[in-house]
Amino acid sequence: MSRLFTKDTQAIFWNNNRSAIQRMLDYDYTIERKLPSIAAIVAPTSAAKFDKFFFGNAEIMIPLYRSTAEAAEAFPGADVLLNFGSFRTAYDVVMEAIELDGQFKTIMVTAEGIPERRARIMNQAARDKGVTVIGPATVGAIAPGAFKIANIGGTIENIINSKLNRCGSCGLVTRSGGLFNEMSNIISLNADGIAEGVAIGGDRFVGSVFIDNLLRMESNPDVKYMILLGEVGGTEEYKVIEAVKSGKIKKPIIAWCIGTIAKHFESGVQFGHAGASANANRETAEAKNIAMAEAGFFVPDSFNDIPATIHKVYEDLLAKGVIKEIEEPSVREISKIRKARNFICTISDDRGEEATYCGIPISKVATPDSGYTLGDVMSILWFKKRYPRWAVDFIETVLKTVADHGPAVSGAHNAKVTARAGKDVVSSLIAGLLTIGPRFGGAIDNAAKYFKYGFDNNLSPKEFLKYMKDQGIPIPGIGHRIKSVRNPDLRISSLKKFVSENFPSSPILQYALEVEKETTSKKDNLILNVDGTIGVLMVDMWRELGYDDAEIGTFIEAGALNAFFILGRCIGFIGHILDEKRLNMPMYRHPWDDILYDVEQLEY
Amino acid sequence: MAQRAIREYDGKAIFSKHWEKYFSGFQYGFKSVLVSSGDELRKKANEHGFEWLKQETLVAKPDMLFGKRGKNGLVLFKDKKPGDVSLEVAASWIDEQISHPTTLLSGQHGTLSHFIIEPFTPHSEEQEYYISATTVGEDDVLYMSTEGGMEVEDGWEEKVTEVVIPINMQDANIDHLVRANAPVDLPADKKEAFISFAIDFFRFYRDLNFAYLEINPLVMLENNEMAILDLVARLDDTAGYLMLEDWGKIEYPTAFGMEDQSSEEKAISDADAKSGASLKLTILNPMGRIWTMVAGGGASVVYADTIADLSGNVSELANYGEYSGGPTTDETKFYADTIFDLMTRFKDPKGRDKILIIGGAIANFTDVAKTFTGIIQSLEEYAEKFKEIGVKIYVRRGGPNYKKGLKDIKEAADRLGLYMEVYGPETHVTDIVRMSLAKEEK
């Protein structure tokens, strides 16, 4: 891995830190990335399925997941984890992510103050699995022109000023995050910007140290020279000296350790980070600066002279032809005023010449010669796909089957009573629709849910009956008032016939029929009824169309099954309402003799 | 913060609390008390459970993080002859010690205030051992020696056995490793017990999140009784939230002689504790000429570095500190008030102008104009004092909204009649230090 990130790198962001994520997306837009650099967000306590962000002036939706594992499963190509968990949770997040074998190449940890022993365990576990940990206690890393982590580089304005929008020729490694921007700025003013930059983090134990990053940069062809900004404390700089001495690193290194002030004070003053405290002379900034200069690094006389040193090294490499002049790319600007939308629509659009259903103009679906039927339009507007013929035919079959069931059922009755009270079509229809629920028309949902459960868990019909008995509810979709094995429901017979001729397979219907054998052996009328048949067949259809269980679960939760019944039954209700209007029947009053009056007599 | 030293008494209390779990094969009495005066010790002796203070002879010594107490003559173990210190002798000795300042051989200077008192443990030199553990690089290291006491530090290389234990090593392998690397000169009758104790000690050190733990000397008495005669311990305080129960109530004292924080430093540290932002202030020399008000931890270090390097005289630097992490306007004003007040208390003895560096790197997300508002409010209050004492101000900052911030502060200085030079990201972060000193030379 010679480059830390490329323009195709995508990350999973742990914790929905909206402002940091937005800054990444603004960067993506500015450098004209095709894909957003965030594939998904892990938000363990959020119930939402996505969050909205700007990509340029447009809004995009980024999916939310409850766990890293789920996000990783959905985005196997996202090989960077940006861990914005707190110092309490960051360790667990890293350990879980490392266990997802092969998923993450790089994990960035922003939390400061993770217990040292935990930091060491997590850093070692990552090393053992070949995962690069950046941090803890870091603002991250950047590969200019390709990928930027969270807030590193600051505002877009500063990013462009510091030429962090495109690849330069310096490899920059700092401990401090606060000085990272400063160094990028200095490098852009005195040279041609950076090719890759990492702030390794300020805690005592960080995952990737100077040497890890510099060795990678040594093999990165974009990097022509390196800058190391170290700190008082620790001995990591000596590993770099060893690598230079042994020839593992050949590119020029400009180096400086901050904290030379510490030599003036005996003890008690902590200059800088937790990791910044010299336990021995060789850990002082001064000793390290001297050792690096002796090893042939370019070491300025003081921090204030760093710009001149950079300029000199750069000009030298330019003169030698190692570095070429860079032509500045154009920069895509983001307008200052962006408005977040309150509503989102993913199915139709009325803004163009002609309104469209999922991009298809209405005129292309409306007439018979278009080849689109009502079921096609339903599948497009309800499920954002055009279903194959057999599935469309099934949807229409369902609608026709449930369209009406006579005037006596409660919904139709309510619609009729309302119409007779002089109300208009829409009021009467609503009166009828409002009765649809758990007792009227609701069996489809539950039949789908429970038969799917039994089938998926390999419950034998007997086990399924026991399971339902334990649930304490009658089996939804089983039983009919009149129809029985000997007096079969012909609607079901024709549905079954249609399915056997058209469905590629119907395992859950077959399972439900096995269950029916069991129930009808107890009582003749405990047949799989129309609701049950439709419910299980919907699941069979969706499985056949390639939806996964989570998606089917979402359909059931959203009430899509019930929606077929509602839509179909509207046809019947409207029929009954029009019937009433035609007949002009008077206001309905229920007869006294049909009501049992048993009124409590209170004192007054 | 990170690794912080704790008192010997607190360290022993943690041992005692977990003794059964980690050292079940050994005995430990935990007869220790921590007092601040002779009277407190006398009172303690009347409490139930502390009868031993009257019944046994005692040892008393300061418990204030510094070592070499023996060499400093601060271990009371004899009145007329070793091991004859009574309660009353210990109590009067403590009262005497707290009545005057003490200067240690190291030069640390202060007044003693905390003492640990324990029973005198008669033993022979052969019974003394050394054991400690700490982190070196990425590994833990266990140090063991059959020689305890002060002598172990002379000839460390020959006397001490080191066992390097990688962070991810399994318990069984650790046992094996310690056993295989135990000191070769362990006496046969103590060998098994010492190794077993060393393994227990390492687990205890590791599980309780110590950063450093040393017993010297460890005295192995008869019947597997252990006496911890001296203990040095540092905790990793970032693990504090995990260890609330296990550590109990822990105090992190400041180093001896360093306790006297000025009221200004204390006020800033109190404000820091209450704020989500970071406010730090250390006064290095109240008479110093160059004062800094720097945003950001890294930047505050490089400003201090550069002032020391370029002024050629570190005593010119009056203070060190930082404000960062998005402080509110009020917090920034309070921080500026504190520094401006300190800076205007004394005139420069040589009559030169003072230099105020309002510095900072390019911020990642802090709104510069907003934080400058607090500084401007403070400048308005201190403008007259600034003029009285003579102050040249140099400003350098970048980041979100920096242009407005720089414009606002420059306008304020002009309006108030203060000398100020203002620079943005086009100027190197510490170059205002060079400019301010160059101006001086002319």
Side-chain angles (χ1 to χ4, degrees):
Chain A
M1 191 170 69
S2 70
R3 289 182 177 87
L4 189 56
F5 305 124
T6 70
K7 212 165 180 166
D8 300 318
T9 299
Q10 276 202 306
I12 291 169
F13 204 107
W14 202 98
N15 219 1
N16 191 359
N17 183 325
R18 288 191 48 87
S19 67
I21 292 167
Q22 186 58 61
R23 284 197 166 178
M24 287 181 74
L25 297 173
D26 286 350
Y27 183 76
D28 295 345
Y29 183 81
T30 306
I31 64 168
E32 302 188 17
R33 259 184 76 114
K34 286 194 190 70
L35 276 176
S37 53
I38 307 283
I41 297 163
V42 182
T45 56
S46 171
K49 294 207 165 65
F50 65 86
D51 204 351
K52 293 187 301 169
F53 294 91
F54 287 108
F55 194 73
N57 297 329
E59 277 186 296
I60 56 168
M61 300 192 297
I62 297 186
L64 299 186
Y65 294 90
R66 301 294 278 266
S67 73
T68 312
E70 288 170 71
E73 200 190 331
F75 294 93
D79 61 5
V80 177
L81 179 71
L82 304 180
N83 177 353
F84 272 66
S86 75
F87 65 89
R88 290 167 192 267
T89 51
Y91 167 82
D92 292 326
V93 172
V94 171
M95 294 307 278
E96 189 203 342
I98 292 171
E99 288 306 311
L100 300 170
D101 272 329
Q103 177 81 27
F104 297 112
K105 290 200 187 99
T106 309
I107 298 176
M108 176 266 197
V109 186
T110 185
E112 187 175 344
I114 295 174
E116 292 184 349
R117 194 159 286 281
R118 288 191 161 187
R120 288 163 61 205
I121 292 170
M122 133 191 139
N123 293 341
Q124 190 57 47
R127 272 178 219 128
D128 292 346
K129 292 251 184 171
V131 175
T132 301
V133 168
I134 300 175
T138 180
V139 292
I142 186 168
F147 182 90
K148 161 185 127 81
I149 291 177
N151 292 312
I152 200 165
T155 58
I156 281 290
E157 187 192 14
N158 187 63
I159 282 168
I160 293 163
N161 286 340
S162 302
K163 302 200 172 77
L164 289 172
N165 58 314
R166 53 94 183 121
C167 187
S169 54
C170 174
L172 171 64
V173 191
T174 71
R175 210 176 223 295
S176 157
L179 288 177
F180 185 91
N181 278 358
E182 200 57 49
M183 292 304 295
S184 309
N185 179 49
I186 296 168
I187 296 163
S188 73
L189 290 172
N190 295 282
D192 66 355
I194 70 176
E196 189 176 295
V198 179
I200 63 169
D203 275 359
R204 186 183 292 260
F205 298 100
V206 293
S208 72
V209 290
F210 292 124
I211 186 68
D212 304 320
N213 288 292
L214 291 172
L215 283 174
R216 186 187 59 251
M217 290 172 181
E218 175 74 15
S219 68
N220 180 345
D222 298 332
V223 173
K224 309 297 183 194
Y225 68 103
M226 275 111 57
I227 297 181
L228 182 170
L229 188 71
E231 225 173 60
V232 54
T235 57
E236 290 301 332
E237 289 83 354
Y238 292 99
K239 292 186 190 159
V240 181
I241 293 175
E242 282 310 308
V244 169
K245 282 185 179 162
S246 67
K248 277 193 197 153
I249 294 181
K250 294 193 175 65
K251 293 175 183 173
I253 303 180
I254 301 167
W256 181 255
C257 283
I258 69 168
T260 53
I261 181 79
K263 68 170 180 271
H264 298 290
F265 298 91
E266 279 284 308
S267 64
V269 187
Q270 170 95 19
F271 290 97
H273 293 119
S277 164
N279 294 317
N281 184 51
R282 70 193 297 261
E283 297 189 20
T284 63
E286 200 170 32
K288 291 197 273 195
N289 284 333
I290 291 170
M292 291 192 291
E294 281 171 356
F297 294 32
F298 295 89
V299 178
D301 290 336
S302 85
F303 180 83
N304 205 47
D305 293 335
I306 289 181
T309 310
I310 293 172
H311 191 68
K312 187 177 151 297
V313 170
Y314 170 73
E315 288 295 333
D316 189 37
L317 292 171
L318 198 62
K320 283 184 188 154
V322 177
I323 294 176
K324 309 256 183 312
E325 296 275 1
I326 293 173
E327 200 179 312
E328 295 300 334
S330 64
V331 172
R332 219 164 30 162
E333 277 194 33
I334 296 167
S335 81
K336 292 244 158 64
I337 303 154
R338 297 190 289 199
K339 189 179 175 295
R341 270 70 166 177
N342 284 313
F343 281 92
I344 303 169
C345 173
T346 65
I347 57 168
S348 62
D349 189 345
D350 59 342
R351 292 172 302 174
E353 274 293 303
E354 190 185 348
T356 59
Y357 298 159
C358 285
I360 309 167
I362 296 177
S363 61
K364 297 275 186 247
V365 299
T367 50
D369 60 316
S370 70
Y372 286 78
T373 66
L374 187 63
D376 284 302
V377 172
M378 278 177 66
S379 73
I380 290 168
L381 287 177
W382 287 22
F383 306 111
K384 303 197 282 184
K385 268 187 198 168
R386 188 179 180 189
Y387 282 0
R389 199 67 241 155
W390 62 267
V392 171
D393 285 344
F394 174 65
I395 288 174
E396 292 175 355
T397 305
V398 169
L399 291 184
K400 288 187 272 184
T401 308
V402 303
D404 194 38
H405 207 252
V409 297
S410 63
H413 178 77
N414 268 0
K416 285 169 80 72
V417 170
T418 311
R420 282 177 60 168
K423 300 289 284 188
D424 54 19
V425 176
V426 65
S427 307
S428 310
L429 176 62
I430 290 167
L433 289 175
L434 286 178
T435 55
I436 298 177
R439 293 184 183 170
F440 177 52
I444 298 179
D445 280 351
N446 279 337
K449 186 173 142 190
Y450 285 110
F451 280 110
K452 177 174 175 294
Y453 177 86
F455 175 76
D456 290 350
N457 289 284
N458 288 319
L459 300 184
S460 71
K462 275 201 170 68
E463 287 168 335
F464 180 69
L465 295 187
K466 179 172 185 310
Y467 171 76
M468 291 308 301
K469 201 175 173 194
D470 292 345
Q471 298 293 304
I473 46 173
I475 306 168
I478 290 283
H480 196 279
R481 206 166 46 85
I482 304 156
K483 298 294 176 186
S484 65
V485 182
R486 270 161 297 172
N487 174 20
D489 186 333
L490 295 178
R491 297 175 300 175
I492 298 170
S493 311
S494 49
L495 262 174
K496 282 194 231 170
K497 182 166 176 286
F498 171 80
V499 167
S500 68
E501 287 166 5
N502 293 281
F503 270 46
S505 72
S506 56
I508 302 182
L509 174 65
Q510 303 316 318
Y511 176 72
L513 292 174
E514 290 301 311
V515 173
E516 182 191 41
K517 278 183 196 160
E518 201 61 43
T519 52
T520 49
S521 72
K522 292 180 178 163
K523 208 170 168 210
D524 198 41
N525 69 343
L526 291 180
I527 56 163
L528 182 66
N529 60 30
V530 168
D531 290 351
T533 310
I534 291 172
V536 297
L537 280 172
M538 281 289 174
V539 179
D540 275 332
M541 174 186 79
W542 280 324
R543 287 224 164 133
E544 205 52 60
L545 292 173
Y547 291 101
D548 65 28
D549 272 4
E551 289 169 301
I552 295 172
T554 312
F555 291 156
I556 297 175
E557 287 300 311
L561 289 170
N562 214 8
F564 284 102
F565 181 79
I566 294 167
L567 179 65
R569 190 51 60 94
C570 277
I571 298 169
F573 286 168
I574 292 172
H576 287 294
I577 295 160
L578 296 178
D579 202 25
E580 287 293 350
K581 297 283 175 197
R582 251 190 327 261
L583 296 167
N584 200 16
M585 291 285 283
M587 164 87 159
Y588 175 74
R589 185 185 170 86
H590 205 68
W592 283 334
D593 59 8
D594 191 35
I595 298 169
L596 168 66
Y597 291 95
D598 181 17
V599 181
E600 200 73 39
Q601 302 295 316
L602 295 180
E603 299 280 338
Y604 62 95
Chain B
M1 288 305 287
Q3 305 191 348
R4 299 178 79 175
I6 58 169
R7 292 192 199 283
E8 180 175 347
Y9 176 84
D10 285 338
K12 286 177 174 171
I14 298 175
F15 261 99
S16 164
K17 192 168 182 176
H18 301 274
W19 193 269
E20 272 308 305
K21 182 173 175 198
Y22 287 92
F23 304 96
S24 57
F26 302 93
Q27 307 297 320
Y28 173 56
F30 187 47
K31 287 180 179 172
S32 304
V33 292
L34 180 73
V35 299
S36 295
S37 69
D39 265 354
E40 199 183 339
L41 180 63
R42 290 181 195 103
K43 262 187 218 142
K44 199 86 199 170
N46 291 324
E47 282 178 28
H48 176 65
F50 295 93
E51 294 81 5
W52 57 268
L53 284 165
K54 290 177 184 166
Q55 292 157 356
E56 300 183 40
T57 58
L58 306 174
V59 176
K61 56 193 178 181
D63 189 1
M64 302 181 71
L65 308 190
F66 62 83
K68 302 206 165 54
R69 290 169 290 193
K71 286 184 181 165
N72 276 296
L74 291 172
V75 180
L76 175 73
F77 64 98
K78 66 171 182 180
D79 182 14
K80 304 208 165 51
K81 59 179 179 26
D84 68 347
V85 175
S86 66
L87 174 69
E88 191 41 46
V89 170
S92 353
W93 180 78
I94 289 168
D95 284 335
E96 203 278 320
Q97 293 298 328
I98 60 176
S99 68
H100 57 79
T102 299
T103 303
L104 304 179
L105 297 171
S106 66
Q108 283 165 281
H109 182 81
T111 303
L112 298 174
S113 61
H114 289 76
F115 299 85
I116 181 169
I117 296 90
E118 298 176 320
F120 179 80
T121 307
H123 65 277
S124 66
E125 210 163 275
E126 288 74 50
Q127 289 172 302
E128 291 193 349
Y129 295 82
Y130 175 91
I131 189 161
S132 73
T134 189
T135 309
V136 175
E138 295 284 322
D139 303 315
D140 291 303
V141 183
L142 179 66
Y143 300 93
M144 298 171 282
S145 174
T146 52
E147 284 190 49
M150 288 186 265
E151 291 72 27
V152 74
E153 283 169 29
D154 312 318
W156 176 269
E157 299 284 321
E158 302 89 67
K159 290 176 185 167
V160 177
T161 311
E162 293 184 18
V163 185
V164 176
I165 301 168
I167 180 75
N168 54 357
M169 188 177 258
Q170 302 294 316
D171 274 2
N173 295 338
I174 294 173
D175 296 0
H176 182 75
L177 191 69
V178 173
R179 189 166 291 280
N181 290 284
V184 289
D185 54 348
L186 281 169
D189 62 325
K190 291 281 196 279
K191 186 174 176 186
E192 200 43 48
F194 183 87
I195 290 173
S196 161
F197 183 82
I199 292 167
D200 293 346
F201 175 87
F202 180 77
R203 290 211 183 113
F204 172 73
Y205 150 86
R206 179 190 65 189
D207 294 357
L208 274 293
N209 283 283
F210 282 94
Y212 183 79
L213 186 61
E214 177 189 79
I215 304 177
N216 183 31
L218 168 73
V219 176
M220 298 184 73
L221 299 164
E222 295 312 308
N223 303 322
N224 279 339
E225 189 176 337
M226 304 303 248
I228 300 173
L229 291 202
D230 194 350
L231 178 88
V232 180
R234 286 202 305 270
L235 296 173
D236 167 22
D237 80 340
T238 55
Y241 75 97
L242 298 170
M243 297 277 115
L244 285 178
E245 280 292 310
D246 290 331
W247 289 349
K249 199 169 156 281
I250 284 287
E251 182 198 3
Y252 299 108
T254 40
F256 180 65
M258 293 291 295
E259 334 48 322
D260 300 328
Q261 256 196 342
S262 70
S263 58
E264 291 80 12
E265 287 166 319
K266 232 178 142 27
I268 295 292
S269 118
D270 288 349
D272 181 58
K274 281 182 215 134
S275 167
S278 176
L279 303 170
K280 303 267 171 353
L281 174 66
T282 306
I283 300 167
L284 300 171
N285 175 14
M287 301 294 289
R289 191 166 56 100
I290 306 172
W291 291 78
T292 59
M293 170 147 184
V294 178
S300 66
V301 177
V302 297
Y303 276 102
D305 283 357
T306 308
I307 292 167
D309 285 351
L310 300 189
S311 72
N313 179 5
V314 72
S315 68
E316 297 270 60
L317 178 58
N319 71 317
Y320 170 78
E322 63 165 297
Y323 69 101
S324 57
T328 64
T329 301
D330 283 350
E331 286 167 344
T332 312
K333 177 173 184 297
F334 175 69
Y335 189 77
D337 283 349
T338 308
I339 290 175
F340 295 172
D341 173 44
L342 287 163
M343 181 175 70
T344 51
R345 286 187 190 175
F346 308 102
K347 272 197 164 148
D348 183 58
K350 293 182 190 163
R352 298 168 299 181
D353 281 347
K354 299 219 165 172
I355 293 169
L356 171 62
I357 300 284
I358 298 177
I362 299 167
N364 277 310
F365 41 81
T366 302
D367 185 321
V368 174
K370 226 167 94 188
T371 54
F372 273 18
T373 309
I375 303 180
I376 292 167
Q377 288 172 1
S378 184
L379 282 175
E380 284 165 354
E381 271 176 42
Y382 284 88
E384 288 315 307
K385 280 192 174 172
F386 272 39
K387 284 187 240 172
E388 236 169 76
I389 213 133
V391 180
K392 286 196 166 69
I393 309 167
Y394 294 81
V395 181
R396 193 278 186 184
R397 191 79 162 110
N401 222 0
Y402 80 92
K403 283 182 185 155
K404 182 173 186 305
L406 293 180
K407 187 168 148 276
D408 289 352
I409 202 165
K410 177 64 179 153
E411 276 174 10
D414 290 349
R415 176 163 47 84
L416 297 166
L418 299 174
Y419 182 94
M420 182 185 280
E421 294 184 26
V422 168
Y423 301 92
E426 67 291 342
T427 299
H428 182 40
V429 55
T430 50
D431 216 32
I432 54 171
V433 173
R434 185 190 57 77
M435 292 183 213
S436 68
L437 293 168
K439 189 110 191 164
E440 201 61 31
E441 281 159 17
K442 275 174 198 168

